Amino acid sequence: MTEIRQKTVLITGASSGMGKAAAAMLADKGFRVILLCKNKERGEKAQAELKQKNQRRELELALCDLGSMKDIRRFTDEWNKRGEVLDVLINNAGVISLNRRETEDGLEEQFGVNHIGHFLLTLRLLDTMKRGSRIVVVASGAHRIGKIHFSNFNLTYGFHVIKAYSQSKLANVLFTRELARRLKNQGITVNCCHPGAVATSMGIDRESGFGKSITSLLKPFFLTPEEGAQTTVFLATSPAVQKVTGKYYYKEAKEKTSRLAKSKSLAEKLFVLSENITDERLINHLPIEQ
């Protein structure tokens, strides 16, 4: 009798909010969940809390800073050496910064983490994906007001938090569409979603605490992290979307995107820019055949 292999899902930004909620929901569905976190202390705390609520949950903590291409390469090298199949990748982590900040590589933080960090992580993890694997990108309705500022993507001039965040979220949708197109023959699906307005700590400055009081006041009007994670989990698990790829979802249903998000030429241009920034090529990371 053939033993059924337990499926593995990796979630970025899994120490809090929607990432943590999705981890709980997927672990309860029988997935082995890799919590990919930047901060060891917060990651261990989240892992312990999730385990405390259900001891049967299979949870593994892994550390990676999505604002560091060097660290992403370190983590993916370690993961790929294990030779394990990755069934689902959920690109959930996200940052919002009121002031212009840069990643270790000198990229504007929101573009650098929300898009470029996930772009590099995804390409390098493709080495251990197979036909039937799924990639889920947590985007945002903010993509509708976004533009890709190709001549100023680092926003070294004219920075504004909304301009930066919406650019990174439009990049998420364009990346989803272009990667789905390029992986179509590999049998790997790539979809993205808008989780809705969710009460998380993403907009709170961890050092100063700025934004905490505003978030507390608005919390009754927001979705819970569990409600926000539902569409992510749907895209990661539902048989209904097993062969659907390159789409944008909201409340477990296909949703229209902005006009710019539909642009094939824009998606291809961004993909090439991202390959050049990371010095990584998709052709070098085509999935294993199984």
Side-chain angles (χ1 to χ4, degrees), residues 13-217:
S15 63
S16 63
M18 289 183 294
K20 185 180 175 184
M25 293 158 77
L26 288 162
D28 288 344
K29 286 178 178 286
F31 279 81
R32 169 178 168 242
V33 180
I34 313 297
L35 310 167
L36 192 66
C37 305
K38 177 182 177 180
N39 183 279
K40 187 173 186 286
E41 186 180 346
R42 288 197 294 269
E44 288 176 343
K45 182 182 177 185
Q47 183 183 24
E49 289 173 351
L50 289 168
K51 198 79 173 170
Q52 187 178 31
K53 290 182 179 179
N54 184 348
Q55 289 294 325
R56 290 176 294 182
R57 289 171 174 169
E58 289 219 28
L59 304 162
E60 181 180 322
L61 177 63
L63 301 176
C64 182
D65 181 359
L66 290 171
S68 165
M69 286 191 253
K70 180 181 177 182
D71 202 42
I72 293 170
R73 289 191 167 92
R74 188 264 319 154
F75 166 72
T76 51
D77 282 345
E78 290 175 1
W79 174 263
N80 293 341
K81 282 176 185 175
R82 293 162 67 160
E84 300 174 20
V85 172
L86 181 59
D87 298 283
V88 183
L89 168 63
I90 299 177
N91 290 334
N92 163 80
V95 296
I96 298 177
S97 179
L98 294 174
N99 300 311
R100 187 181 180 279
R101 297 176 180 172
E102 291 188 352
T103 67
E104 179 180 291
D105 305 291
L107 297 169
E108 186 278 316
E109 187 178 47
Q110 290 166 85
F111 185 75
V113 172
N114 299 354
H115 171 58
I116 292 296
H118 282 117
F119 177 91
L120 180 59
L121 180 76
T122 302
L123 259 59
R124 291 180 65 86
L125 287 178
L126 283 171
D127 292 354
T128 56
M129 293 188 195
K130 63 179 183 65
R131 191 168 292 275
S133 289
R134 305 185 189 193
I135 299 168
V136 181
V137 179
V138 179
S140 167
H143 85 272
R144 299 183 187 281
I145 58 171
K147 293 180 181 179
I148 307 297
H149 304 273
F150 285 102
S151 61
N152 183 36
F153 58 82
N154 270 330
L155 301 181
T156 49
Y157 55 89
F159 175 87
H160 187 280
V161 57
I162 295 175
K163 184 178 180 180
Y165 185 69
S166 61
Q167 172 179 246
S168 74
K169 293 291 115 179
L170 174 59
N172 287 161
V173 182
L174 291 169
F175 173 50
T176 297
R177 290 240 163 106
E178 184 62 12
L179 186 63
R181 184 184 72 81
R182 295 187 184 212
L183 291 179
K184 196 170 184 179
N185 294 332
Q186 304 294 328
I188 293 175
T189 62
V190 192
N191 292 293
C192 60
C193 63
H194 168 46
V198 182
T200 72
S201 61
M202 190 169 71
I204 298 172
D205 189 306
R206 293 191 189 276
E207 293 177 10
S208 67
F210 182 84
K212 191 174 286 187
S213 59
I214 297 172
T215 301
S216 297
L217 286 170

